[in-house]
Amino acid sequence: MGPLVLLHVAISLVGIFSGLIVLFHGLLASRRLPGWTSLFLWSTVATSLSGFILPATRFLPSHATGVLSMIALAVAIPALYKFRLAGGWRRAYVVSAVLSLYLNVFVLVVQLFLKVPALKALAPTQKEPPFLIAQGAVLLVFVALCLLALKRFRPEPATPAAAGAAALS
């Protein structure tokens, strides 16, 4: 694995780890976690962008996933930092943040089935039932978590000074 791929993987894992903290301890607990949220959003941006500079001879499904992630992040970031979750921006933020985390986990599952010998043996072409069941289960879990987060995430409105400080932390 080359240094660029290794860096991309490391950033991806930071995005997934911080995203899970934001989901479970932030969104589902209706708490603002400014530092973790910033780490999640910006490492996920870096993951998507670095995926486009990895060596490839054609447009791959991973590139399409990166485009979808960047679109979701283009909603989540201004919803949080510019519109401060006011009105419908709270729902837009929750859906787009959870979607971008899901896409990172989706790619993680793909990579696990490509790189872990036992999983690769179960689904060598990633069209076999074990792979499809794993991805279906991940999707269902994230849909359920997103719906739950939409109900639960109702943090106190941020003051303009707190929102500015959160953007910097």
Side-chain angles (χ1 to χ4, degrees):
M1 186 179 321
L4 186 58
V5 174
L6 190 58
L7 178 63
H8 173 75
V9 169
I11 294 168
S12 300
L13 293 174
V14 168
I16 291 169
F17 177 75
S18 59
L20 291 171
I21 290 172
V22 168
L23 177 57
F24 286 102
H25 297 286
L27 299 177
L28 294 175
S30 195
R31 294 189 318 188
R32 292 180 184 267
L33 300 175
W36 284 109
T37 300
S38 181
L39 179 62
F40 162 61
L41 293 172
W42 297 112
S43 62
T44 304
V45 166
T47 296
S48 295
L49 291 177
S50 66
F52 292 113
I53 60 173
L54 294 176
T57 58
R58 59 186 168 84
F59 189 80
L60 300 168
S62 58
H63 295 119
T65 304
V67 169
L68 290 174
S69 182
M70 290 303 294
I71 291 168
L73 292 162
V75 172
I77 291 169
L80 178 62
Y81 295 120
K82 181 176 182 186
F83 300 109
R84 297 188 179 95
L85 307 175
W89 288 107
R90 179 193 60 83
R91 289 182 299 280
Y93 168 72
V94 169
V95 170
S96 57
V98 173
L99 174 60
S100 63
L101 176 58
Y102 162 72
L103 291 170
N104 272 349
V105 173
F106 174 86
V107 171
L108 175 63
V109 172
V110 168
Q111 291 301 315
L112 288 172
F113 272 88
L114 285 173
K115 308 293 186 205
V116 175
L119 293 176
K120 187 171 180 80
L122 289 173
T125 68
Q126 295 191 346
K127 294 178 183 172
E128 294 79 10
F131 176 78
L132 300 174
I133 291 167
Q135 288 292 25
V138 169
L139 176 61
L140 289 175
V141 166
F142 271 90
V143 168
L145 290 170
C146 185
L147 292 173
L148 193 57
L150 282 167
K151 287 184 178 186
R152 290 186 177 179
F153 186 64
R154 299 187 185 286
E156 294 295 319
T159 63
L168 297 174
S169 64

